[in-house]
Amino acid sequence: NPARGFGHLPDLSVAFLERALELAAPGGAVGLLLPSKVVTAAYGQAVRSHLVRETTIAYLHRVSDQDARGFGATTYPLAAVLKKCAPQPDHSVRLDFHDPDGVRQRWLGDTWVLVPERERDALVEFHAAGTPLARLAPPALGAKTGADRLFVGELKRLDGDWATVVLDGTELSIETTVLRPALRGRDVRPFEAAPTQVLLCAHRPAGDCPTRLPPRAAGYIAARERRLRARVDYQTGPPWTLFRLRAALAANRVVWPDIARQPIAVALDETPFAHAVPLNTCYVAPAPDRNTALVIAAVLNSTWAMASATSVADEARGGYRRINARVAGAIPVPPPGPATTALCALSAAAHDGNRPPQDDLDDAVAEALGLSASARDALRRLAAHRR
């Protein structure tokens, strides 16, 4: 609705863009540097739809990290040049000031994939080659404590039923029955999990929370009850309640970091840390069965998933990207068949310490998805460009 602007505007650049277009004369041009996430973030959908429909987009050029250093702040600018007139049906948007390759404006959808047409066609083929992860195993953020200092700590020693840990800046002895490995995004590797901290988690595998704790854990909690009940997410139940546990404690979990240079995933139940709890720096996809979890992890660790995710993910500091539910949810899971069975076996071996060369993994994923040779070549080029 033009009278209301472009809706929710948490990013002021959207408001500046809207005002610039209002001030431009019909047929006039507007050139702006915008945060690159405007082309992918959910809040930018209204403005993106308006621009595709009502303007002729001449350039959308991602400014390189090297050039962006001159801004004196961490920023990921996108150079946009627009004309205030409706586009021609066959108009192509140039993606580089020195390269004629571009993308048809009418092909820019809810999330803009700013890659040349051959790479775009390859991404379309990739996404159509299987069931979207979001439909098969919807991703969710890992567990949230609301007070990591009180729940996440360092394990010093194990002594039978007791553990010496550092929690809330204090070294104490506590029952091992209330401790589980805490898996953070930085602890995830392709086909591996390497947690280095522990989580005070009394929840049972089904997610329900007991009404009583063993004595030492109960004493620790009692001394901090006021702080625990003051957590923003806390509503009812024992003060040691954790939040968002359904996916984190599910069976057949596939886990990957929220922020990474590319998707890297592990089928957690295939590791020695199957009882670990992924925290909210991880995303978790609870697969319907073990074999599906193995296949999902293999696809997410492939070059093809990297090419897809880095084309639509919001950028973060230092070349990292947000591999969130929107990004990972579009990754295809191959249909059943001999090639998928072979991929499952390869993934199981990788989780057992026999990780294949990347090219072998990519070939196995491509065979399971039935990717054409041209799509593989285009996706490899795209991935190489995004590294």
Side-chain angles (χ1 to χ4, degrees):
N1 183 350
R4 293 173 50 248
F6 294 129
H8 181 45
L9 304 177
D11 188 330
L12 284 177
S13 67
V14 176
F16 276 96
L17 174 58
E18 178 181 13
R19 184 58 176 156
L21 287 171
E22 287 176 349
L23 294 173
V30 170
L32 289 172
L33 286 176
L34 303 168
S36 62
K37 65 181 179 179
V38 166
V39 305
T40 55
Y43 69 75
Q45 183 172 340
V47 67
R48 291 193 296 269
S49 297
H50 175 86
L51 295 179
V52 169
R53 187 177 61 252
E54 303 293 340
T55 73
T56 296
I57 306 171
Y59 293 96
L60 290 172
H61 174 63
R62 166 70 172 85
V63 179
S64 70
D65 291 342
Q66 182 175 357
D67 292 338
R69 289 172 188 163
F71 288 93
T74 301
T75 183
Y76 308 98
L78 178 85
V81 179
L82 319 165
K83 292 183 67 176
K84 190 175 178 178
C85 60
Q88 295 296 316
D90 60 347
H91 175 68
S92 287
V93 181
R94 290 183 61 178
L95 304 179
D96 191 293
F97 293 128
H98 308 292
D99 191 334
D101 287 345
V103 60
R104 301 287 176 89
Q105 181 166 324
R106 68 174 184 270
W107 288 348
L108 297 176
D110 290 343
T111 298
W112 289 358
V113 181
L114 302 182
V115 299
E117 291 188 15
R118 287 184 182 178
E119 283 77 7
R120 177 194 174 277
D121 290 344
L123 287 171
V124 169
E125 180 179 332
F126 174 65
H127 290 138
T131 302
L133 179 63
R135 189 185 308 165
L136 190 64
L141 276 169
K144 183 177 181 182
T145 69
D148 279 1
R149 180 180 174 86
L150 304 184
F151 287 96
V152 182
E154 179 185 358
L155 176 64
K156 291 288 191 178
R157 291 183 301 278
L158 280 175
D159 185 12
D161 294 335
W162 310 101
T164 301
V165 298
V166 177
L167 287 169
D168 196 21
T170 302
E171 186 172 299
L172 66 146
S173 180
I174 200 168
E175 296 86 355
T176 58
T177 55
V178 298
L179 296 176
R180 299 176 70 162
L183 189 69
R184 303 164 298 172
R186 71 186 71 173
D187 302 326
V188 177
R189 310 283 187 274
F191 304 109
E192 295 179 17
T196 59
Q197 294 189 297
V198 291
L199 175 71
L200 174 56
C201 177
H203 289 259
R204 300 184 181 97
D208 56 315
C209 191
T211 56
R212 297 182 65 183
L213 292 177
R216 295 188 185 184
Y220 172 80
I221 292 293
R224 295 156 177 82
E225 183 168 351
R226 180 186 59 79
R227 293 159 65 190
L228 291 168
R229 292 189 183 277
R231 291 177 293 167
V232 172
D233 295 277
Y234 178 80
Q235 295 180 356
T236 60
W240 53 88
T241 299
L242 302 181
F243 316 113
R244 249 181 359 218
L245 282 170
R246 176 175 293 183
L249 296 182
N252 306 309
R253 295 160 295 169
V254 181
V255 183
W256 63 93
D258 171 24
I259 299 176
R261 292 183 181 276
Q262 63 189 72
I264 48 175
V266 60
L268 189 57
D269 295 349
E270 299 297 311
T271 75
F273 301 100
H275 59 308
V277 178
L279 299 181
N280 66 340
T281 53
C282 298
Y283 272 91
V284 186
D289 54 67
R290 173 180 181 260
N291 287 352
T292 304
L294 288 167
V295 169
I296 291 170
V299 176
L300 285 170
N301 286 322
S302 70
T303 296
W304 325 126
M306 176 196 175
S308 171
T310 56
S311 296
V312 297
D314 296 341
E315 291 178 282
R317 184 185 299 271
Y320 284 75
R321 294 173 173 86
R322 297 187 178 277
I323 315 298
N324 57 22
R326 171 184 64 83
V327 172
I331 301 296
V333 181
T340 300
T341 300
L343 178 61
C344 179
L346 182 148
S347 182
H351 282 89
D352 200 32
N354 299 308
R355 183 178 169 187
Q358 188 65 44
D359 285 346
D360 291 351
L361 172 64
D362 291 341
D363 287 344
V365 172
E367 289 299 317
L369 290 169
L371 294 181
S372 66
S374 61
R376 299 183 201 191
D377 289 343
L379 292 174
R380 281 196 181 96
R381 287 196 302 272
L382 183 56
H385 177 70
R386 298 289 178 179
R387 281 192 173 93

